[in-house]
Amino acid sequence: MPYNYCFYIHHHGAGHLMRAVAIANKMPEHQITFIGSDLMRHANAIPDYVDCIHLPMDTPTKQDSYAKSESKSFLHYTPLNVHGLLERNGLMIDFFRRNPQTIIIVDVSSEVTLLARLCGIPSVVIRQHGNRTDPAHALAYESADLIIAPFSQEMDTPVNHPFWNKTLYAGGFSRYTDCKATLDWEAKDIGILIGEGGSPINSSFVHHLRKELPKEVKLHVVGKVEPSTSSLDNQTHVFYHGRVDNPQEALRTCSRVICNAGHNTIMELADLRKKIICIPAERPFNEQTDKAFQLERLGCAVTVLEQHMYTVDWNACLNYADCIDLDRLQKLTSSNAISNIKKGLESLSEKHFVHSTDKVTSYEQYS
């Protein structure tokens, strides 16, 4: 193919990269590039046919002695005199110069979307939940040729998203979508799944939950958390699995899972047919809180706000979770989601590149 699909992947958490990997796995016939600051952390998951461009971080270092932060309404991150920021923008522009026939899929950054547009590179923005009506998002959404929502339209609120009319609601997906798990009626344990983007779920909470639940209930903790020294005397039937590449086996005996409301986490648990109790973590634009609200509205999860995690009746919450309709939960994802995204991207490439000669001629008549 003469054109390139370039995925800009934000380094916060693991969900952005895993989403790009899932899409790339369905497009092996295309030329695909990943570009981001922390790609090596999940290098084993990136397909061999994907080229990677590693960007420096855009945060000040000790060498940036003149660095300072300035707030602007039309951008989210606007530091001055940061060498890493200048270097990463230069690397992206160099890539665009070498690969002018590129579609960039931005997951996520308003600044990268606008940089690509200023370079004349067609852009696609991955839509996230949350209140994103601020000027920076509005500029990015307006400049994008296509907005892709990796969830169904019923999980969105158009009033909070003025560009919904140019959004492709592809449906949700995860690495487990094409092999959705069957319901294990013997699964009675409780899972605690901690993502990598920052979470209020920690050893103190595990200790609290252990005290609240009957002693015979087994807890399986997946993620970066270790038992605190003060809680070692209260670890009966608590199993710490640590970080795992594939949480499916660690959660095999769990029917209900307590987690944050990160997109990738929710979609994976839906495909694994786990009943979800989510504690939305603090994120910019209230992303996880909005997603948790949508999930609860659809009857797909029980939500506990962070400020209530030590006061809520957890036995009652888990009983509520038992009432979640698994068929409704499973509709959060679709086996056609990535195919829908692939078609959208290929259609955009055809629009911009397949008939590019005719378009140049039509522009010349106005010069």
Side-chain angles (χ1 to χ4, degrees):
M1 291 291 177
Y3 42 84
N4 192 307
Y5 294 108
C6 175
F7 289 78
Y8 172 81
I9 301 166
H10 197 280
H11 61 271
H12 187 81
H16 305 293
L17 186 139
M18 298 311 295
R19 183 156 49 223
V21 167
I23 298 171
N25 280 332
K26 295 293 186 179
M27 303 178 69
E29 73 277 20
H30 290 290
Q31 184 178 345
I32 296 177
T33 302
F34 284 3
I35 187 166
S37 297
D38 198 17
L39 302 179
M40 290 305 297
R41 185 158 52 103
H42 298 281
N44 292 337
I46 299 175
D48 293 337
Y49 54 83
V50 173
D51 295 325
C52 290
I53 296 177
H54 303 280
L55 302 178
M57 293 296 292
D58 54 6
T59 50
T61 66
K62 292 180 180 179
Q63 285 69 42
D64 295 317
S65 55
Y66 297 106
K68 62 179 179 178
S69 178
E70 284 195 355
S71 177
K72 301 293 182 183
S73 65
F74 59 92
L75 293 174
H76 292 140
Y77 184 59
T78 57
L80 294 174
N81 304 319
V82 175
H83 177 75
L85 178 61
L86 184 61
E87 183 69 15
R88 65 192 278 120
N89 285 342
L91 288 170
M92 285 188 278
I93 291 172
D94 285 345
F95 174 81
F96 297 150
R97 291 177 65 187
R98 296 193 309 271
N99 302 273
Q101 291 184 317
T102 289
I103 300 287
I104 187 167
I105 301 97
V106 183
D107 190 355
V108 291
S109 169
S110 294
E111 288 79 8
V112 172
T113 305
L114 295 173
L115 177 66
R117 187 65 185 88
L118 289 169
C119 292
I121 301 297
S123 60
V124 176
V125 172
I126 301 295
R127 164 92 166 103
Q128 294 185 292
H129 282 95
N131 182 10
R132 299 179 188 272
T133 57
D134 59 280
H137 274 109
L139 283 171
Y141 288 149
E142 184 176 1
S143 69
D145 286 75
L146 178 67
I147 300 168
I148 292 177
F151 45 84
S152 65
Q153 188 167 0
E154 67 176 357
M155 272 194 73
D156 202 11
T157 306
V159 70
N160 290 332
H161 182 35
F163 296 95
W164 64 270
N165 59 332
K166 71 178 201 178
T167 298
L168 168 63
Y169 290 96
F173 61 91
S174 80
R175 54 182 157 171
Y176 304 121
T177 298
D178 292 332
C179 52
K180 291 187 176 181
T182 57
L183 179 62
D184 184 354
W185 293 104
E186 298 300 317
K188 303 294 183 183
D189 299 346
I190 307 300
I192 302 173
L193 182 58
I194 304 167
E196 296 187 13
S199 172
I201 302 175
N202 53 28
S203 59
S204 296
F205 173 71
V206 175
H207 177 57
H208 172 77
L209 193 66
R210 176 67 283 170
K211 290 193 300 181
E212 293 293 306
L213 301 181
K215 289 185 178 180
E216 65 272 14
V217 174
K218 297 178 181 178
L219 304 180
H220 293 267
V221 184
V222 179
K224 187 180 179 181
V225 64
E226 298 292 339
S228 63
T229 304
S230 61
S231 63
L232 289 177
D233 60 341
N234 189 35
Q235 295 297 305
T236 305
H237 288 163
V238 181
F239 304 93
Y240 289 88
H241 299 268
R243 280 181 175 171
V244 296
D245 291 333
N246 183 352
Q248 183 175 11
E249 180 57 28
L251 298 175
R252 181 179 54 83
T253 62
C254 302
S255 59
R256 296 154 292 177
V257 175
I258 299 168
C259 61
N260 297 129
H263 186 79
N264 194 55
T265 295
I266 295 298
M267 296 302 153
E268 287 193 352
L269 292 177
D271 280 332
L272 292 176
R273 294 176 67 82
K274 306 298 183 182
K275 298 182 177 183
I276 300 169
I277 306 97
C278 61
I279 304 172
E282 184 177 347
R283 291 291 185 271
F285 312 104
N286 292 319
E287 175 197 338
Q288 290 202 11
T289 303
D290 182 31
K291 188 186 300 295
F293 167 78
Q294 301 292 349
L295 291 168
E296 192 162 69
R297 178 178 62 83
L298 295 173
C300 294
V302 173
T303 296
V304 176
L305 297 179
E306 182 177 348
Q307 59 264 37
H308 299 150
M309 32 187 312
Y310 290 95
T311 57
V312 74
D313 183 339
W314 278 102
N315 287 286
C317 287
L318 292 166
N319 288 336
Y320 291 142
D322 273 334
C323 299
I324 292 173
D325 185 340
L326 286 174
D327 290 335
R328 182 176 295 179
L329 179 67
Q330 199 165 18
K331 290 179 181 178
L332 289 178
T333 63
S334 168
S335 59
N336 296 322
I338 299 180
S339 295
N340 293 336
I341 292 173
K342 181 180 179 181
K343 290 175 183 177
L345 295 177
E346 290 175 339
S347 177
L348 191 59
S349 297
E350 192 171 316
K351 169 187 172 183
H352 284 292
F353 302 135
V354 173
H355 304 296
S356 58
T357 303
D358 294 338
K359 290 182 179 180
V360 169
T361 302
S362 65
Y363 292 151
E364 287 175 346
Q365 66 181 323
Y366 296 105
S367 60

